[in-house]
Structure formats: structure tokens, C-alpha cells
Amino acid sequence: MRILLTARCNYNCIFCHSEGLDPGATEDGNTAPQVVDLVKSATSSGFDDFTFSGGEPLLQLHKLVQIVDSLRKEFSDSPPSITVVTNGSLVSAAFIDAMAQYPGQKKVHVSLHSSDPVTYRRITGQKRFHPDDIFKAARTMAARGIPVKINTVVLNGINSDGSALRALVEKAGSAGISAMKLLELLVTPENESLFSCFYSAQAVRHALIQGGLTVSPKSHNRRIVLGVPRYPSMDVEVQQLTCKLGCSNCKNNRDITIGPDFALYPCFALSNRRLQLSGYQQLSTAIEDGLEVVAQNAQKYGDDSPVLVRQDRFVKQREVVFLETGLDFAEASKLLVELGFRHQKTALFREYFVRPVNPTDEWKNFQRVLKYGYEHHTPSEVQFIFSYNYFRMVDGCLFTKQCFLEDRKPPSCDSVERARRILSALDFHEYLAKDFELHEYVNGMIRVSLDKCCLRVNFRLDASFLHDPNVIAVIDVLQASPILCPFEEWLVKTASGSGLPHLPPK
């Protein structure tokens, strides 16, 4: 169970989602006796591991110390495990003493996003504290027998450089840190402007292994654990964002979050759903209602979720229709929302289109298409994608049936340069390089993929829904016209600015 002692924080981290709370809140509703009573009730419901967080919980130092001391006295025989999550800037002797004296398992997780002072201050939005101050506090806690774990959110282009990550690992190891966790950024529609900062766990893993870290047998599923040869007792965990796996993944999750307002938050990505504990006679009833909310989210979203970064899904084939609109992206996306569509996913990627130096008609007519590319957050995974394309005209629209080699992850290499060398050796040459920024909108079974990175906004629809009333409404409202040539040909013409007719307003 996670208990938030305050919504306030002395930092202003650029990526902070405030656990769904109001970061400007000035009142902290729960008291130390209330929190202790809550822990006692929760232990009788089967909880034995409690995390105290915020905001910055050490802004409530007296309350936190009182809670830890009270739990030590209340549970002298079998104390529950406790963890405190802090940015480390306000660690004091009183806090260290309270934690050191606690007889049960205890940990302190310190949020530390860079060992470089300029980067650290850029991320945290403050100038008072230096990362060396945080490492000093961590070293002091470790010396008192308090296990310390560093939590780092990896941000593309800010602290994602391999050498910077390895420097952070080295400094943590030398400070006696027992573990590190490198995390993916949570991106929701509310903080979509940060999407370009997302950096994948796979890219982080690649950078650290290149720097000499080794894969540990402790790794499993979305949790990659790396060993540091120089510090064999320290684990470095690289963790995928849970929400990428879809809401159905949380059905069996009993993690519970209680806010400083004494409300239960079943899901931090949908934090508007909360249950006031004051309305319940029994904590166990509130917990069951919270788990029911999680189950409802799982039923609604399935393998999807409200966050904008998802696991890739691969298909063997699909039939689609490409359309274009004269509207700008902002207007088109606004109209989709007004039609009841939900912004579900964003993807930034770069693709390079290639064909043989002496192409056959199939290649010239885009019936065969080969491209390679990478998503912005995983530059170390360059994928090769080949498709056979079959075209047919239906009701004035060009239906494109794309048949891929497999319905699973395509082959890849670790850099664009290597991909170029491979294809050059096979006498392929590049005829187009293109950046894409796709925004997927969903309404029931209907998905609209809107591309922002073209001179003209274009979008893709599943051909089987072309006559659905909702799709007809989308085409009408967006004043869209079908693209009547192969999409790759249209991209080439768009890039060159030639051969595209003017779109008259409808």
C-alpha cells in the first residue's frame, strides 16, 4: 500500500504527474495517528508492505518520524516492511535515526535523475540542491544500515546518453547504493507535450550493456536486471512502464494508493476516479471497490490503456484506406475529439524507403515496399519491414491490402549505419527518408491514425469500416479526400512538392 503524506513538493520536476494530486495543494489532510490507524487496518486485510511518498514526504518530517516510531511500538513482534520515497534533499539526522531504529525491513528510495549538476537542476526545476548533496545523504543512510535505492526517470535527449547513465551508475555504486531502478516516462494526454522525452527501457538496456554491465538471471518479463562487475552487490533494474502493457495487466494487482486527502486512488493514470475513505466503515470494503474500478478499467481498455505509449502489435496483413485533408493538425484532432474519439496513442519514428538499384515493375509500382526505421525512443533498434501491396478501387477509394512477412516483431539491427551497409551490399538504394508523428484516435472499434509530419495532414482507416456511419462522419467533418495512388508514391510526391493537386474546400 502506498500512502501519500502530502501533495506538496520542494522540487518542480519537468515530468512530474504528482500521482494525480494537485501539486499546488497547501494542506495535508492526514495526521500521524490516522496513518498509523490506517496501517493497522490494512495489515488485518493482508497488507504487509507500506510505502510513504508524496509530493515530498520529508516536508512532513515530524509526521513521518512520528509514524515510523509509532509503527515500531505498535508492531514490535512482526513489523511490516516500510519504504520512504524522497528526492533526498531534506534527509535529516532525525529521519535517519527513526529509520535506523525501525526493527522491520525498511528501504529508502531516492529519486535522482542525473549525477550532472546542470542536467539535475534542469530536470528538477530548482537551483538550491546539487546531486552531490543527495549522494552524501544516501551514503550516510547506507552507512547506518538503511538500504538505499536510486530511482531515475530516463528522458530522451536530457539524461539518456549512455555515458551519462553509466556515470550515474558508477557514482551510485561508489556511494554504497544497494540498487538502482531506471524507469520509462509516463505519458498521458495531459502531459503529451513530453512525449518526445520518452525513452524506452530497451534503449537504456542497450546503452548500459555497451558500457560493460551484464544481464542478471534475476531478469523477468518487463523487468530487466543488470549486474555491475565493479559493484557486484548492486543491481540495476531497467523497468518498462506498467501501463504500456494495458489495463488488463492490472487485474491481479493489489497495489493500493491512499492520498493525503484520505481518498483511495485505484489508478494513478485515471486519478479522477477516487474513493473517499470517510464514506466507508471498513477499509476492506473500500479496497474491494477500488479493485472493482481496476477490473472495470481492464474490461474497458483490455490490452490498451489511457497512456500514450504502447507495446507494438504486429499483424500478418491489413487492408486500409489512406485519406488527406486540407485542415491543419490541431483543427483535425479537435474535430475528432468532438466526434467522440479518444486520443489513445502517439508514435514518433523515422523511416527510410529503399528498393533495388534496378527495380522491377513491382517495385516501381509500390507493390513491393521495403523500409527500415526506428522509433525516437529506441534508436538502437532499427527494424526492417517488407510488405506486398495489393490495390483495388472501391467506391472511389483506393483499398491497399498490406501483407507482411510475419505477424511478429520484424528483424532488426542496432544502427541506421549498419542497416545502410547491409542494404547497399544487396544493391538497394534509398529513395525517401521520412519522419512520422502518428496520433491514434479511437471510438469503439474504429481507429483513426492522424499523421502530423506531412505538408498535408493524412490519416489511415481500416477499410472494413469505410461505410460505418462514424467513419462517414469523420470523412465529412475532416473534409477528407481519398489518396488515389499508393501511399508511398504520395509520400514521395509530398516530399518533392510536385504532382499533388490542390484540395478545394468542401
Side-chain angles (χ1 to χ4, degrees):
M1 176 177 287
R2 179 193 298 255
I3 301 172
L4 311 183
L5 301 183
T6 178
R8 296 180 294 123
C9 188
N10 60 331
Y11 279 20
N12 186 27
C13 295
I14 57 177
F15 58 82
C16 183
H17 55 79
S18 304
E19 301 289 358
L21 303 175
D22 177 9
T26 57
E27 294 186 7
D28 304 303
N30 54 30
T31 65
Q34 285 177 316
V35 172
V36 172
D37 286 343
L38 174 64
V39 171
K40 289 163 65 177
S41 296
T43 54
S44 39
S45 293
F47 289 88
D48 60 2
D49 193 338
F50 297 88
T51 295
F52 301 107
S53 183
E56 172 48 54
L58 290 182
L59 286 171
Q60 295 285 299
L61 175 63
H62 177 72
K63 179 165 75 175
L64 179 56
V65 169
Q66 189 179 349
I67 290 168
V68 174
D69 285 343
S70 297
L71 294 179
R72 174 170 55 85
K73 296 170 185 175
E74 288 281 352
F75 296 94
S76 56
D77 293 333
S78 55
S81 298
I82 62 171
T83 302
V84 176
V85 180
T86 172
N87 59 38
S89 64
L90 302 177
V91 169
S92 66
F95 169 69
I96 294 175
D97 286 343
M99 291 294 288
Q101 292 169 22
Y102 187 74
Q105 289 188 352
K106 67 260 187 169
K107 303 188 293 286
V108 175
H109 289 185
V110 177
S111 301
L112 180 56
H113 309 294
S114 178
S115 59
D116 174 71
V118 175
T119 303
Y120 179 76
R121 287 166 176 164
R122 176 185 175 188
I123 293 173
T124 60
Q126 56 78 46
K127 297 180 179 179
R128 180 180 175 187
F129 299 102
H130 189 285
D132 285 350
D133 301 329
I134 315 305
F135 279 114
K136 181 180 178 180
R139 188 178 289 108
T140 303
M141 289 188 285
R144 291 288 302 275
I146 304 168
V148 178
K149 185 176 190 176
I150 298 292
N151 289 339
T152 302
V153 176
V154 182
L155 305 170
N156 189 15
I158 299 177
N159 63 349
S160 60
D161 179 73
S163 59
L165 290 174
R166 293 190 290 272
L168 181 60
V169 170
E170 169 64 29
K171 197 145 191 179
S174 65
I177 304 301
S178 61
M180 286 187 65
K181 181 185 285 186
L182 301 170
L183 298 153
E184 292 181 332
L185 174 67
L186 174 69
V187 185
T188 68
E190 286 69 37
N191 68 346
E192 187 189 354
S193 61
L194 291 175
F195 182 81
S196 61
C197 293
F198 182 84
Y199 202 68
S200 74
Q202 184 173 353
V204 174
R205 172 185 179 275
H206 178 81
L208 292 177
I209 289 176
Q210 280 196 323
L213 275 68
T214 57
V215 178
S216 164
K218 299 176 186 177
S219 299
H220 65 88
N221 296 335
R222 66 187 180 91
R223 182 173 173 266
I224 304 162
V225 180
L226 303 176
V228 187
R230 188 170 175 183
Y231 304 103
S233 62
M234 184 174 75
D235 287 337
V236 178
E237 180 181 342
V238 184
Q239 184 170 309
Q240 278 189 312
L241 178 67
T242 306
C243 294
K244 278 172 63 177
L245 307 178
C247 289
S248 60
N249 186 64
C250 284
K251 281 190 297 185
N252 300 318
N253 180 13
R254 277 181 57 84
D255 288 354
I256 298 295
T257 298
I258 308 293
D261 53 357
F262 254 49
L264 187 154
Y265 291 78
C267 171
F268 60 78
L270 294 171
S271 53
N272 58 322
R273 299 287 300 275
R274 58 187 179 182
L275 308 172
Q276 281 299 147
L277 296 186
S278 59
Y280 292 88
Q281 291 186 342
Q282 299 289 332
L283 174 63
S284 58
T285 307
I287 290 172
E288 290 305 316
D289 285 354
L291 294 176
E292 177 58 28
V293 172
V294 173
Q296 291 170 2
N297 290 342
Q299 185 174 11
K300 177 179 178 180
Y301 292 99
D303 291 336
D304 288 327
S305 79
V307 303
L308 297 181
V309 180
R310 305 296 172 73
Q311 294 272 74
D312 288 329
R313 295 185 179 89
F314 303 98
V315 296
K316 180 72 172 176
Q317 64 182 39
R318 64 187 179 190
E319 190 164 43
V320 294
V321 175
F322 294 95
L323 301 99
E324 59 180 329
T325 173
L327 303 178
D328 63 28
F329 175 81
E331 187 175 2
S333 57
K334 178 185 175 186
L335 290 171
L336 283 173
V337 172
E338 290 175 356
L339 285 173
F341 282 78
R342 174 175 57 86
H343 189 189
Q344 177 175 264
K345 179 180 178 181
T346 301
L348 296 176
F349 53 97
R350 184 170 183 81
E351 291 185 333
Y352 302 87
F353 295 79
V354 297
R355 60 186 171 198
V357 173
N358 298 306
T360 63
D361 287 343
E362 283 184 314
W363 289 98
K364 291 178 182 177
N365 297 329
F366 304 98
Q367 292 168 295
R368 291 190 180 195
V369 173
L370 176 61
K371 58 189 178 181
Y372 64 95
Y374 59 91
E375 291 198 69
H376 82 287
H377 54 70
T378 317
S380 58
E381 183 181 30
V382 179
Q383 296 183 348
F384 298 88
I385 301 174
F386 173 82
S387 68
Y388 291 101
N389 293 337
Y390 301 92
F391 307 106
R392 61 190 181 110
M393 292 295 298
V394 179
D395 296 335
C397 293
L398 182 66
F399 281 31
T400 302
K401 184 177 181 180
Q402 299 173 313
C403 298
F404 303 98
L405 293 179
E406 297 180 295
D407 58 356
R408 56 186 177 181
K409 197 172 188 176
S412 63
C413 67
D414 61 4
S415 70
V416 169
E417 291 72 22
R418 178 170 292 182
R420 283 201 176 113
R421 288 199 301 271
I422 293 170
L423 291 166
S424 176
L426 296 173
D427 285 335
F428 277 74
H429 77 103
E430 179 185 309
Y431 63 89
L432 177 66
K434 171 77 171 65
D435 291 310
F436 292 88
E437 181 178 335
L438 289 186
H439 296 256
E440 186 174 81
Y441 293 81
V442 176
N443 186 352
M445 296 292 291
I446 300 169
R447 298 171 184 263
V448 178
S449 296
L450 209 61
D451 180 16
K452 188 178 180 180
C453 280
C454 269
L455 293 176
R456 288 191 189 159
V457 173
N458 65 88
F459 61 98
R460 185 184 72 222
L461 291 168
D462 187 322
S464 63
F465 290 109
L466 191 60
H467 296 103
D468 185 286
N470 288 324
V471 170
I472 293 171
V474 167
I475 294 172
D476 183 52
V477 168
L478 297 188
Q479 304 172 29
S481 300
I483 294 174
L484 298 178
C485 63
F487 184 62
E488 293 79 11
E489 180 182 347
W490 184 87
L491 288 174
V492 171
K493 291 178 178 178
T494 303
S496 66
S498 65
L500 288 173
H502 173 68
L503 283 178
K506 292 190 177 181

